[in-house]
Amino acid sequence: MVTTTVPSKPWLVQKYGGTSLGKMLHTICSAIIPQYSEEHNLIVVCSAFSGTLKASGTTSLLLECIAYAELGVEAQKQLIDLVDVIKGNHLHVLDSLASLPARGFPQIFDETRSSIEKECESLKRFLLAAQIVGELSPRSKDRVISLGEKLACMIVAAYLTSVGIPAKAIFLDNVIASAFGNSIHDQVAALERLGSQFYHVVADQIATRVRDCRGAIPIVTGFFGIMPNSLLETVGRGYSDLCAAMCAVAVGAIELQIWKEVDGIFTADPRKVPSARLLSTVTPEEAAELTYYGSEVIHPLTMDQIQDAGIPLRLKNVFKPLGSGTIIYPSAGSSTPCSPASDSSEDSFNSSPITPSSSFMLKNGYHGAQQERRKPTAVTVKDDIFLINVICNRNTKSQGFLSQVFDRLERNKIPADLVATSERHVSLAVQSPGDSSAMLRLKEELERFGQVSIFPNMSIVTVVGHKMCNMVGVSNEILSALAKAQIDIYLTSQGASQINISLVVSADDDLAAMNAIHREVLKIPTHREQENRFIPGRSPVFRESCST
């Protein structure tokens, strides 16, 4: 245990998203963090501040700065103005916090203001220099993006310190170099050699920096270093979730909490299915499938890290901090928990795996050691899908047909979400590419060895349930529910995964498909059906009792 922390307290890692920080910063710093710090040694991981829309968030604005830098000196004024907007946004937040009653170190706000101005001016100089070249390398883009988390951590640490809770901002923008050296070649080689273990080595470096906080709460940047091939390219926009997982592994935390603006994981998106219910728990495999097929649950690399370490993950709502949320325990068959970063026996972190009771899992529909379910857990939709059908020409060898199709997808950087094949026919569901011309190029290339038809405006409806392959008749229930709702199915996929069945439908039908499956297959009645159960006169038993 860190010498100035309390040895009897377990470690807990909390990650706050940018929207949560943007909307509920005062509540987070004055209520949630102080409450948990009473019984836990805390690590807080922050994303960059955001607003109601991601497009107006700090990370999105920094990406715009990169775009202006690449346009050259002609966009100099726009670049300067945008950096000033980012600086102004954060100084406004800082000033609003400084106006609140403080009982600790009110001068901390002046120091933080100076630091924010210094960081923003440094970014401005860097981008103006890049404008001369008109190009930024992926690693240079990482450096720009890292500013958002830095500024957020500065403000959170300052506010906590001002109210008497010691906190220290921890920047991880150089943690990769600290772990693997400054050579890009060595970093790339380590990433290829170690795979997911690469992030365990990074966790060791994070543990060292946590020790250096000496009793202050570490406020850690969600951005964790300039990766060999760019953090955004390697991990994606969910990198702060992965950073929080590495922090949890680093200290052997009893739990990783990810705080959002929703209660947890639901049986369906409650904005689309009003009768959706909150799930007390799901398995890591279910969470990964829900994330991939449209639900913003958790980054898959995050699940890998905490699964290996035997650490549960809990999703909680900043608007309802007393709610239990949704907890995701490591799978029953997961590997032996890995030890956290080692130090002297006096300073060692906790490393006790947490497992759910069988009664808790049974209560939530998971049966036996394999956690099999008797009905699906949730239904989700992934929209903005293209359906591609390719019929192989007779002069193309069928054994090389599929390899040629996937080679063209790889060339155009278009991943396939679903695939169905026969000897000379393949159907694929793919996410709409960011580059509008990519689909046209793909069609031209595929037409060299086959007849191609592409259908836009499609959606993937995915039904998820642990060990769902053992649910006899569930496929028939899904198809029957959609048939009853008069919804056409263009592609089905089952077998590659034991826990999902996916179907492609028209985007115009995806909402109706979700509701039909939620009602008929998950057996969750609509609000109207639930109300009808309690309206006098609707129940035959009630009418008979009245007549007697």
Side-chain angles (χ1 to χ4, degrees):
M1 188 70 65
V2 179
T3 54
T4 51
T5 56
V6 182
S8 60
K9 286 185 178 183
W11 281 91
L12 178 69
V13 176
Q14 296 182 331
K15 180 259 175 177
Y16 293 96
T19 305
S20 297
L21 291 170
K23 293 179 178 178
M24 299 291 289
L25 182 59
H26 177 64
T27 299
I28 290 169
C29 293
S30 64
I32 299 176
I33 291 176
Q35 177 188 350
Y36 279 94
S37 66
E38 291 179 2
E39 297 182 359
H40 303 85
N41 290 314
L42 279 186
I43 297 176
V44 175
V45 179
C46 295
S47 296
F49 286 170
S50 183
T52 305
L53 300 175
K54 281 188 176 181
S56 62
T58 305
T59 300
S60 296
L61 295 179
L62 288 167
L63 289 171
E64 283 188 49
C65 288
I66 291 172
Y68 283 133
E70 292 180 327
L71 288 175
V73 293
E74 293 82 3
Q76 187 178 94
K77 184 180 185 303
Q78 295 96 316
L79 173 59
I80 292 173
D81 290 345
L82 192 53
V83 174
D84 287 341
V85 166
I86 294 170
K87 178 175 68 174
N89 288 345
H90 288 82
L91 291 178
H92 175 73
V93 173
L94 188 70
D95 291 341
S96 65
L97 296 175
S99 65
L100 298 173
R103 61 174 186 269
F105 304 92
Q107 69 273 18
I108 191 68
F109 290 112
D110 292 333
E111 297 171 4
T112 304
R113 166 179 279 274
S114 177
S115 297
I116 289 174
E117 291 175 343
K118 181 179 177 181
E119 289 287 346
C120 289
E121 289 305 312
S122 176
L123 173 69
K124 189 183 296 183
R125 289 194 299 271
F126 177 76
L127 289 174
L128 289 174
Q131 271 193 328
I132 298 173
V133 180
E135 182 180 2
L136 279 85
S137 69
R139 289 165 63 87
S140 294
K141 293 177 182 178
D142 274 2
R143 177 181 171 182
V144 174
I145 296 301
S146 69
L147 179 68
E149 279 81 3
K150 280 186 179 181
L151 300 181
C153 287
M154 287 179 188
I155 293 174
V156 171
Y159 184 38
L160 289 172
T161 302
S162 75
V163 296
I165 301 174
K168 180 180 179 182
I170 303 296
F171 302 152
L172 300 181
D173 51 336
N174 64 342
V175 72
I176 302 297
S178 298
F180 302 102
N182 292 318
S183 168
I184 298 177
H185 175 77
D186 291 345
Q187 293 174 14
V188 171
L191 182 59
E192 293 176 350
R193 181 180 72 256
L194 296 174
S196 63
Q197 290 296 316
F198 178 92
Y199 301 104
H200 289 314
V201 178
V202 178
D204 290 344
Q205 289 291 325
I206 293 174
T208 301
R209 301 184 187 205
V210 169
R211 293 187 189 95
D212 292 340
C213 287
R214 303 193 178 282
I217 296 177
I219 311 299
V220 182
T221 56
F223 183 96
F224 60 88
I226 299 174
M227 290 285 284
N229 299 314
S230 167
L231 184 62
L232 285 174
E233 289 291 330
T234 306
V235 178
R237 285 288 289 264
Y239 56 74
S240 58
D241 288 347
L242 176 56
C243 180
M246 289 191 293
C247 289
V249 171
V251 298
I254 61 165
E255 186 173 286
L256 165 61
Q257 294 180 348
I258 294 185
W259 291 75
K260 295 174 174 283
E261 301 77 55
V262 294
D263 291 337
I265 301 174
F266 286 78
T267 52
D269 186 339
R271 295 168 299 182
K272 300 177 180 178
V273 182
S275 58
R277 295 176 179 175
L278 177 66
L279 293 163
S280 297
T281 187
V282 298
T283 66
E285 295 83 2
E286 288 173 326
E289 292 292 309
L290 287 168
T291 298
Y292 185 80
Y293 286 107
S295 299
E296 292 188 9
V297 178
I298 193 70
H299 195 284
L301 285 175
T302 303
M303 298 305 308
D304 291 344
Q305 296 301 303
I306 60 173
Q307 173 89 346
D308 292 343
I311 298 171
L313 180 150
R314 189 184 298 272
L315 301 174
K316 288 180 69 68
N317 189 347
V318 290
F319 293 102
K320 300 177 183 177
L322 297 181
S324 58
T326 300
I327 189 165
I328 305 171
Y329 288 102
S331 290
S334 62
S335 57
T336 304
C338 62
S339 299
S342 60
D343 194 31
S344 65
S345 59
E346 182 181 0
D347 286 349
S348 62
F349 295 116
N350 323 310
S351 58
S352 301
I354 308 296
T355 55
S357 66
S358 58
S359 60
F360 173 79
M361 297 305 291
L362 183 61
K363 178 183 176 182
N364 287 283
Y366 297 89
H367 299 262
Q370 297 300 313
Q371 299 180 348
E372 296 182 2
R373 288 187 61 87
R374 307 260 170 96
K375 62 180 180 180
T377 304
V379 57
T380 188
V381 165
K382 189 173 188 178
D383 53 19
D384 207 14
I385 296 295
F386 282 82
L387 180 66
I388 304 173
N389 292 326
V390 186
I391 302 174
C392 175
N393 292 331
R394 288 296 173 183
N395 57 356
T396 302
K397 294 182 179 179
S398 59
Q399 61 268 30
F401 173 50
L402 281 179
S403 65
Q404 293 182 69
V405 170
F406 283 101
D407 177 63
R408 268 56 178 188
L409 289 171
E410 178 67 23
R411 287 185 192 179
N412 290 280
K413 297 182 180 180
I414 300 176
D417 289 328
L418 299 176
V419 181
T421 67
S422 62
E423 181 188 6
R424 310 188 70 83
H425 192 164
V426 61
S427 295
L428 310 106
V430 304
Q431 186 81 44
S432 175
D435 181 4
S436 58
S437 63
M439 192 60 66
L440 293 176
R441 291 196 304 270
L442 176 64
K443 186 174 187 294
E444 291 176 359
E445 293 177 14
L446 292 177
E447 285 175 338
R448 296 174 187 173
F449 51 87
Q451 180 182 340
V452 181
S453 54
I454 298 179
F455 302 93
N457 303 319
M458 309 299 282
S459 296
I460 297 175
V461 179
T462 299
V463 186
V464 173
H466 198 68
K467 302 290 182 181
M468 197 164 66
C469 63
N470 298 329
M471 300 179 196
V472 177
V474 69
S475 296
N476 179 61
E477 289 183 12
I478 294 170
L479 297 177
S480 297
L482 296 182
K484 183 178 178 181
Q486 298 184 330
I487 296 171
D488 290 330
I489 301 170
Y490 296 86
L491 185 153
T492 61
S493 175
Q494 182 186 16
S497 167
Q498 295 186 17
I499 65 171
N500 90 59
I501 298 174
S502 295
L503 312 100
V504 175
V505 302
S506 169
D508 295 334
D509 293 330
D510 60 9
L511 186 60
M514 278 188 76
N515 280 273
I517 292 171
H518 195 261
R519 180 179 64 253
E520 302 292 341
V521 183
L522 274 61
K523 312 298 184 186
I524 299 176
T526 64
H527 284 329
R528 181 182 294 275
E529 291 169 337
Q530 294 176 44
E531 291 168 358
N532 287 344
R533 293 179 179 181
F534 302 101
I535 297 176
R538 294 297 181 96
S539 169
V541 175
F542 183 89
R543 286 197 299 269
E544 289 173 9
S545 63
C546 289
S547 61
T548 58

